[in-house]
Amino acid sequence: MGKLFVWDRFFENIPKILPYLSVTFSIVLYATLFGVLLGILIVLVQIKKIPVLVSIVKVYVSFMRGTPMLVQLMLVYYGIPALLDPVFGTNINREWGAVNFAYVTFILNQGAFLSAIFYSAITSISYGQTEAGLSVGLTEFQTFHRIVLPQMVKTAMPPFGSDLVGLFQNSSLVFLIGVTDIMGRAKTIGTATKHVLEAYVFIVLIYIVISLGVRLLFFRLNNKMSYGKEEMG
């Protein structure tokens, strides 16, 4: 049967797996960028209390935050083709490619989670500060940009960092719909060689290093943003 773990196999797997890290990063990048935009739109709907839309948004956010990521991934992967293919006569599973379903799922998921972070951050700032800005002649945009936004960013920074770590870790699920990311590549290596432990140990190290790196980055950003406040205190 051979040894369960061999260092030679471990190092041989590194160049086979590492290039597929770009797939994971692309999912995280798209989900973060478009998730931020979607989250901002959701917050605007909630703050402005737009009729009908605010109810839809509440149901959407509750669903995305209350269901497992894997369920959402499967619903998007199987649900979109089931809804659109009969209507338009398409074959979306073949035309899109699995990674595009991953993009859609993670963007929708991030939009919901980030909207909750942004909404909590902006509502934690007293409206009196906005009134004070308006009373001294600032426009609504200037008041938001100079007074509200800096405090909002400071408040949202820690949970945003934690969410980013969770996003990176959850991206490991995409191999279940056929996306060849680092997890998918490890699976194919295991199938071909009958040795999976070395590949998965390397992936564990990747997740640990990147997760710690992201946490450290946001820890330093948070400290930097708090520096002036501490000095004033």
Side-chain angles (χ1 to χ4, degrees):
M1 184 175 177
K3 294 182 179 180
L4 186 63
F5 184 94
V6 177
W7 281 108
D8 286 344
R9 287 199 298 262
F10 174 84
F11 289 111
E12 286 174 3
N13 287 335
I14 293 177
K16 296 177 183 178
I17 295 174
L18 208 54
Y20 293 87
L21 188 60
S22 63
V23 178
T24 301
F25 283 149
S26 71
I27 293 170
V28 172
L29 179 63
Y30 280 109
T32 301
L33 292 178
F34 290 100
V36 166
L37 295 177
L38 181 57
I40 292 172
L41 289 176
I42 292 171
V43 170
L44 289 175
V45 170
Q46 291 174 318
I47 291 176
K48 298 296 184 181
K49 301 187 187 303
I50 301 174
V52 182
L53 283 181
V54 70
S55 298
I56 294 174
V57 159
K58 285 181 180 179
V59 173
Y60 159 70
V61 172
S62 296
F63 174 80
M64 299 305 288
R65 298 187 69 196
T67 55
M69 190 72 228
L70 180 58
V71 172
Q72 298 169 21
L73 192 62
M74 293 301 175
L75 282 176
V76 170
Y77 185 68
Y78 293 107
I80 290 180
L83 289 173
L84 299 184
D85 285 352
V87 177
F88 298 101
T90 56
N91 190 337
I92 293 179
N93 282 107
R94 289 185 178 180
E95 295 170 3
W96 276 23
V99 72
N100 290 304
F101 291 97
Y103 291 151
V104 171
T105 305
F106 280 88
I107 288 169
L108 292 174
N109 178 271
Q110 282 301 103
F113 276 86
L114 292 178
S115 71
I117 292 173
F118 297 158
Y119 186 79
S120 297
I122 199 168
T123 53
S124 67
I125 304 167
S126 67
Y127 187 69
Q129 296 189 47
T130 299
E131 292 179 326
L134 295 174
S135 68
V136 297
L138 296 178
T139 64
E140 287 190 9
F141 177 78
Q142 289 173 327
T143 301
F144 177 79
H145 182 261
R146 297 181 183 181
I147 299 175
V148 178
L149 184 60
Q151 297 180 73
M152 174 187 166
V153 171
K154 172 65 173 63
T155 303
M157 189 69 71
F160 184 85
S162 297
D163 180 81
L164 189 59
V165 171
L167 169 62
F168 178 74
Q169 294 171 350
N170 283 333
S171 68
S172 63
L173 296 172
V174 299
F175 85 96
L176 294 171
I177 62 171
V179 178
T180 307
D181 65 333
I182 54 176
M183 286 293 293
R185 182 56 178 151
K187 186 176 182 296
T188 59
I189 290 173
T191 302
T193 64
K194 307 301 180 184
H195 297 286
V196 298
L197 187 57
E198 293 88 355
Y200 286 128
V201 167
F202 178 59
I203 288 174
V204 166
L205 293 176
I206 290 176
Y207 280 114
I208 290 174
V209 169
I210 293 179
S211 296
L212 290 176
V214 171
R215 291 184 186 279
L216 179 61
L217 172 63
F218 277 84
F219 175 76
R220 289 186 174 180
L221 286 174
N222 191 56
N223 283 348
K224 187 174 182 180
M225 295 179 71
S226 301
Y227 180 76
K229 185 176 179 181
E230 292 173 356
E231 288 294 316
M232 291 175 64

